[in-house]
Amino acid sequence: MEKRVYWLKSSVVRSDELLEGIIESATDAIIAIDEEHKIILFNPAAEKIFGYQVEEALGKDLSILLPEKVASKHFSFIKEFLKTGDSPVIGKVLEGVARRKNGEDFPIEISRSATKIDDHWIFTAIVRDVTQEKEMERRLLESEKLAAVGIAASRIVHDIKNPLIAIGGFVFSLLKKESSEEKRQKLELILREIKCLEKLLSDISEFAKPLKLEIKEADLTTVCQEAIEIYRPRLEEEGIEIELIAPEKPVKVFLDEARLKEVLFNMFQNALEAMSATGNGKLTVEIVPREQTVQIIIRDTGPGIPEHVLKQLFTPFFTTKKKGTGLGLSISHKIIEAHGGKIKARNYEHGAEFTIELPYRPG
C-alpha cells in the first residue's frame, strides 16, 4: 500500500523542520509517551501550562501531570490498548483533569492518538487548559442563579416586612401594659424572634438588590487597620489576639472602603465564632501585593472548615449556624466580585484561611 504524504515536500523546508516548528509554536500542550508511560515529547506550551521545564519532564512517568486517581486509570488504559490495540478514548476530544507542578488541579480538554513506529506504540495527547472557560461558565450560571434568587428574595421581603412590622408594634404595645412577669418574658421572647426575622429580611434585601460601589483610591493597609481597630474590642473579649502584617509602603487600591470593611467584619465574625469554643486564638490579617493584584489573607487558629462545608461556603442561604441567615459570605462574595476580585477559602495546618484577591483598579 502506498504511503500517503500530508505535507508538500520542499527544498526550502524539510519535513523534520516543519514538524518541529509546528510542535514548538503550538498554543496547546503536545505531550507524547512511550509504552512504559514515560514522557518522550514535551513542547513549550506544555511547559507553560504545567509549570515543568522540558528537562524536568522528559523521561518521567506521565503521572507527574495527573491527579493520583486519573494517573492509575490512564496507566490501565495504556496496558489495555497494548493488549487489544483499541481504546474508547483514542481519537476523541474529552474533558479531564490534570495537575500542575505546584499541585494545582485544573480542567482540560484532551485528544489522544496512538501511532506505531518500529514496532513500538507512541501515544500523543494534545491538551488545552480550559480553566478560564470553566470559570466563565461558572460565573454565568452563578449570576443566573443569583438573579433568580434575588427576584424571589425581593418578593419575600415585600410580602413579609409589613405584617412583621405590625406584629412587632402590637407586641411592643402589649409589653408596656403587661404586669405579669411570666407573660412579659413570653412577649420579650416574641420580640427577640421578630428582631431575628427583621435581620433576616434585611440580609435578604441587601443580597437581592444590585450593588452600587463608591470607588475611590485608598490605602489598603489603612482600610484594614481601621476595620481591625473597630473589631478589636470584640475579639479581645473572647481572648483572641489579632495582628496585621502589611508592607511598609502604602498599597494604593481603587475600592469601596465601606463595602470592603463589611467583608472584613464578616470574616472577623466567622473567625471569632470558630475560635470562641476554645476561648483563645489568633487572627492574622496579611496584605500581599502582587504584580496585577493584591491579596488580603485572613487566617484563624480555629478548628478549620469541614470539606463538605467548604464546597458550599458561598452558596446563598447555606449555613451551619443555628441562627445564621446563610447570606453573610454570599454577600461578601458578591461585593468582592463586584470589585473584579475573587474570594476563596481553604484549611491550612493551624485553622482556616480566607484569601481576598483584588485588582489595583476594577476593570
Side-chain angles (χ1 to χ4, degrees):
M1 183 177 176
E2 185 180 350
K3 188 176 180 181
R4 299 177 70 187
V5 178
Y6 292 93
W7 56 81
L8 181 66
K9 292 183 179 179
S10 167
S11 59
V12 179
V13 181
R14 299 202 314 269
S15 61
D16 56 345
E17 290 177 337
L18 176 63
L19 288 173
E20 186 176 337
I22 291 170
I23 290 168
E24 287 192 356
S25 62
T27 56
D28 291 337
I30 302 176
I31 301 164
I33 62 171
D34 61 17
E35 294 176 343
E36 301 299 319
H37 219 240
K38 304 296 182 185
I39 299 170
I40 60 172
L41 171 65
F42 200 75
N43 75 332
E47 290 183 307
K48 185 177 179 181
I49 290 171
F50 287 91
Y52 288 96
Q53 294 298 307
V54 64
E55 296 82 6
E56 298 176 286
L58 292 181
K60 298 294 193 302
D61 192 280
L62 184 69
S63 59
I64 66 168
L65 308 180
L66 303 170
E68 290 80 4
K69 290 182 180 179
V70 178
S72 61
K73 286 181 182 178
H74 197 276
F75 192 70
S76 298
F77 135 69
I78 294 294
K79 289 201 298 184
E80 185 64 25
F81 181 90
L82 292 173
K83 284 182 184 178
T84 65
D86 190 26
S87 169
V89 301
I90 292 291
K92 295 180 179 178
V93 178
L94 301 171
E95 293 187 345
V97 180
R99 177 167 291 176
R100 304 190 206 276
K101 182 181 179 181
N102 63 8
E104 175 194 355
D105 291 345
F106 65 101
I108 60 170
E109 277 186 358
I110 179 169
S111 60
R112 301 177 180 89
S113 62
T115 185
K116 206 168 190 179
I117 301 175
D118 297 331
D119 292 326
H120 294 287
W121 283 103
I122 303 298
F123 302 91
T124 305
I126 297 177
V127 180
R128 188 163 73 91
D129 182 351
V130 294
T131 302
Q132 290 186 346
E133 289 91 332
K134 292 296 180 184
E135 177 63 16
M136 287 175 66
E137 286 178 15
R138 184 195 68 78
R139 289 195 177 196
L140 180 60
L141 287 171
E142 189 173 271
S143 64
E144 289 175 351
K145 180 175 67 176
L146 293 182
V149 171
I151 292 168
S154 297
R155 290 173 181 169
I156 290 169
V157 171
H158 181 268
D159 291 344
I160 295 177
K161 191 172 183 180
N162 289 340
L164 194 63
I165 291 171
I167 293 168
F170 289 137
V171 171
F172 188 73
S173 178
L174 290 170
L175 190 59
K176 289 197 294 183
K177 297 175 182 178
E178 186 56 58
S179 59
S180 166
E181 184 60 28
E182 182 182 351
K183 289 180 180 179
R184 284 182 63 83
Q185 287 178 357
K186 290 178 180 178
L187 289 169
E188 285 172 355
L189 176 60
I190 293 170
L191 203 57
R192 284 198 298 273
E193 293 303 315
I194 287 171
K195 287 180 180 178
C196 288
L197 285 172
E198 287 175 344
K199 174 65 168 64
L200 172 60
L201 291 178
S202 174
D203 285 348
I204 292 173
S205 180
E206 177 68 19
F207 174 76
K209 67 185 180 184
L211 275 178
K212 292 182 180 179
L213 300 180
E214 295 183 10
I215 300 291
K216 63 179 182 180
E217 189 178 33
D219 175 22
L220 190 59
T221 302
T222 301
V223 174
C224 290
Q225 185 66 59
E226 289 173 356
I228 287 170
E229 291 310 314
I230 290 170
Y231 224 84
R232 189 186 296 276
R234 201 175 306 182
L235 292 165
E236 289 180 346
E237 280 180 13
E238 298 291 337
I240 294 169
E241 178 188 352
I242 186 166
E243 179 187 12
L244 175 64
I245 302 171
E248 291 183 5
K249 294 181 179 179
V251 182
K252 297 294 185 178
V253 182
F254 284 83
L255 49 78
D256 185 320
E257 290 187 42
R259 287 294 193 175
L260 182 60
K261 285 178 183 177
E262 183 181 338
V263 173
L264 292 173
F265 293 151
N266 200 308
M267 301 289 106
F268 297 166
Q269 181 62 30
N270 286 338
L272 171 63
E273 290 172 2
M275 292 185 284
S276 61
T278 60
N280 54 49
K282 184 174 182 179
L283 182 61
T284 305
V285 181
E286 183 176 4
I287 298 173
V288 183
R290 304 176 76 183
E291 187 175 343
Q292 302 293 330
T293 61
V294 59
Q295 292 183 337
I296 307 170
I297 303 171
I298 301 162
R299 301 185 185 95
D300 66 51
T301 56
I305 306 168
E307 285 300 319
H308 73 281
V309 174
L310 266 176
K311 294 176 182 178
Q312 302 183 72
L313 207 54
F314 299 104
T315 303
F317 304 106
F318 173 79
T319 182
T320 57
K321 302 173 186 177
K322 289 182 179 179
K323 291 200 173 183
T325 64
L327 287 172
L329 285 175
S330 297
I331 292 170
S332 296
H333 187 270
K334 187 176 178 181
I335 291 170
I336 297 303
E337 284 210 328
H339 280 83
K342 299 177 183 177
I343 181 169
K344 58 185 178 180
R346 71 178 186 98
N347 289 313
Y348 74 114
E349 62 177 315
H350 299 301
E353 176 183 281
F354 284 82
T355 300
I356 298 167
E357 189 167 41
L358 295 168
Y360 289 102
R361 184 188 290 269

